[in-house]
Amino acid sequence: MSTDNRTSSQYSLSFLDVIACAFGAIVLLVLILPIGENATEEPESVDLSATGRLYFLIDTVTEEIKILNSQISSNQKLLSDIESETVSIEESTEQVTEAVQTTQSQLESLRGQQKTLETTVAILQEPVPQTPEPLEVESELSGIPVDSEYVVFVVDTSGSMQSIWGHVIEEVKRFWNLYPNVKGFQFMNDNGHYLSRIGAGRWIPDNFVARQAALKKLDGWMSFSNSSPVEGILQAVKDLYSDDRKMAIVVVGDEYQGGSFQYFFDDLEKSIKSRSVKEENLRIHALGFYNMVGGSGNNFAILARELTHRYQGAFVGIEEAGFFSSNLSPSILPSIPLPLPLPNLGL
């Protein structure tokens, strides 16, 4: 074969090769690319602005969740602290409540004391009724010396006396009327406890209003008593006597449960000497009530007779219907010795 034929045959083979390759490529494209139902639709366009807002909201909510988690942690810690301190708070509350109740009780007590003080001040400030011509008080009425300027009643407040208390008050009032113009008065029981704590240890200025107030308070007076006037007498001398005063002690009772007479008189003498009591400035009277029967009643009578004899006073025995002597004026108290033998006291 000539050279031209070989060249033409080579070109023809190359063209066929190209055509075959192109056809193979088309077949490959048909196999690779989906056509018809298997073809995927092109996605629609996306709103990027809305998506950005969602991302922003997600970030905001995430931050708020972090903040809330932080607050929850703080609240849980606070709750734990409160629970741990609950017992202490309850104890503190109880203590505060008790303190408030105590303060309220003290306040009520202070209010009561204030009212009592106001009443006392009103009594003390009440002017003494003046008479056009002051009456001269006799130094003695029916055997009872009444020249004292100050009078203190030492009253037995035991159960036996309380059983006749109304009668006791009436007789005390009648005896007190023998001193219409004294400068001061006082009441204490046989144990030395004052009728009024406010006026304790000092004389109450005497006037009509003060007397009425004292009698009213005396009506409801209930105080512990050992049925022995010894303590009251000694307390009266200790608290109320001074050497420039004429003082009378009125012992009111129905029995004496004390011990030795001699010890009492020794103590009384020591107390009087320590106060420089002048003999003429101290008198001791006694009102013995009809309850005084038996041993303790007889002992009271013995004690009262010796006291009134030593200190220039009068011993008045009182029975249920009145005084032992019914034919005397009820406004005058006689001095009547009881028909009891006075034992040898070694005095």
Side-chain angles (χ1 to χ4, degrees), residues 210-260:
R211 288 198 182 199
Q212 293 302 311
L215 290 171
K216 183 177 180 180
K217 192 173 183 64
L218 188 66
D219 185 50
W221 192 21
M222 297 184 67
S223 182
F224 173 77
S225 166
N226 62 1
S227 296
S228 170
V230 170
E231 294 87 346
I233 295 172
L234 294 175
Q235 193 70 39
V237 173
K238 176 182 176 182
D239 290 352
L240 301 172
Y241 182 80
S242 63
D243 57 8
D244 59 342
R245 294 171 179 166
K246 290 185 176 182
M247 170 180 166
I249 299 175
V250 184
V251 181
V252 183
D254 63 347
E255 58 180 336
Y256 173 61
Q257 299 279 5
S260 169

Side-chain angles (χ1 to χ4, degrees), residues 5-315:
N5 285 335
R6 285 197 301 270
T7 303
S8 174
S9 178
Q10 290 178 353
Y11 283 117
S12 295
L13 182 60
S14 297
F15 177 76
L16 287 174
D17 292 334
V18 171
I19 292 299
C21 287
F23 181 78
I26 290 170
V27 171
L28 288 173
L29 288 174
V30 170
L31 293 174
I32 294 172
L33 294 175
I35 298 174
E37 293 180 356
N38 294 328
T40 302
E41 295 181 358
E42 183 179 354
E44 298 179 356
S45 61
V46 178
D47 188 355
L48 296 179
S49 62
T51 302
R53 286 196 298 270
L54 288 175
Y55 280 121
F56 176 76
L57 290 175
I58 289 172
D59 291 339
T60 303
V61 170
T62 301
E63 290 298 323
E64 290 181 353
I65 290 173
K66 291 180 179 179
I67 294 173
L68 289 175
N69 285 332
S70 176
Q71 291 179 351
I72 289 172
S73 298
S74 299
N75 290 338
Q76 287 177 340
K77 184 178 184 302
L78 178 60
L79 179 60
S80 176
D81 293 340
I82 291 175
E83 289 176 349
S84 65
E85 294 179 359
T86 299
V87 176
S88 299
I89 292 173
E90 291 178 352
E91 292 178 352
S92 299
T93 302
E94 291 179 358
Q95 293 176 356
V96 170
T97 302
E98 291 178 358
V100 169
Q101 292 175 349
T102 302
T103 303
Q104 289 176 343
S105 299
Q106 293 175 347
L107 181 60
E108 291 299 324
S109 177
L110 289 174
R111 286 175 178 170
Q113 294 179 11
Q114 181 184 11
K115 291 181 180 179
T116 305
L117 284 172
E118 290 173 352
T119 303
T120 303
V121 170
I123 291 173
L124 295 178
Q125 291 178 346
E126 185 72 20
V128 180
Q130 300 292 329
T131 56
E133 296 182 1
L135 299 177
E136 291 292 333
V137 180
E138 298 181 29
S139 62
E140 189 169 314
L141 290 175
S142 298
I144 300 178
V146 290
D147 58 342
S148 301
E149 299 172 334
Y150 297 85
V151 179
V152 53
F153 291 88
V154 177
V155 186
D156 184 344
T157 55
S158 64
S160 60
M161 291 287 282
Q162 291 289 340
S163 66
I164 57 169
W165 196 244
H167 188 52
V168 171
I169 294 176
E170 287 300 318
E171 298 302 335
V172 167
K173 181 179 178 182
R174 293 174 67 187
F175 193 94
W176 198 1
N177 286 338
L178 294 178
Y179 296 88
N181 293 321
V182 293
K183 296 179 180 179
F185 69 90
Q186 189 54 269
F187 279 88
M188 65 173 63
N189 81 338
D190 53 323
N191 280 28
H193 300 153
Y194 286 87
L195 174 63
S196 174
R197 289 181 299 175
I198 296 175
R202 62 182 181 84
W203 292 106
I204 299 174
D206 182 54
N207 59 61
F208 176 78
V209 176
R211 288 198 182 199
Q212 293 302 311
L215 290 171
K216 183 177 180 180
K217 192 173 183 64
L218 188 66
D219 185 50
W221 192 21
M222 297 184 67
S223 182
F224 173 77
S225 166
N226 62 1
S227 296
S228 170
V230 170
E231 294 87 346
I233 295 172
L234 294 175
Q235 193 70 39
V237 173
K238 176 182 176 182
D239 290 352
L240 301 172
Y241 182 80
S242 63
D243 57 8
D244 59 342
R245 294 171 179 166
K246 290 185 176 182
M247 170 180 166
I249 299 175
V250 184
V251 181
V252 183
D254 63 347
E255 58 180 336
Y256 173 61
Q257 299 279 5
S260 169
F261 293 97
Q262 187 62 55
Y263 287 145
F264 164 55
F265 284 112
D266 289 343
D267 290 341
L268 182 58
E269 287 294 331
K270 291 178 182 178
S271 180
I272 289 174
K273 290 180 179 178
S274 68
R275 303 292 293 173
S276 301
V277 176
K278 297 179 181 179
E279 182 178 352
E280 68 275 9
N281 284 357
L282 176 63
R283 297 188 185 277
I284 298 181
H285 306 298
L287 299 181
F289 282 82
Y290 55 86
N291 285 10
M292 52 180 191
V293 294
S296 61
N298 291 343
N299 287 342
F300 179 84
I302 293 170
L303 179 68
R305 287 179 63 179
E306 183 61 23
L307 278 173
T308 55
H309 174 71
R310 280 176 170 242
Y311 298 101
Q312 298 81 43
F315 176 28

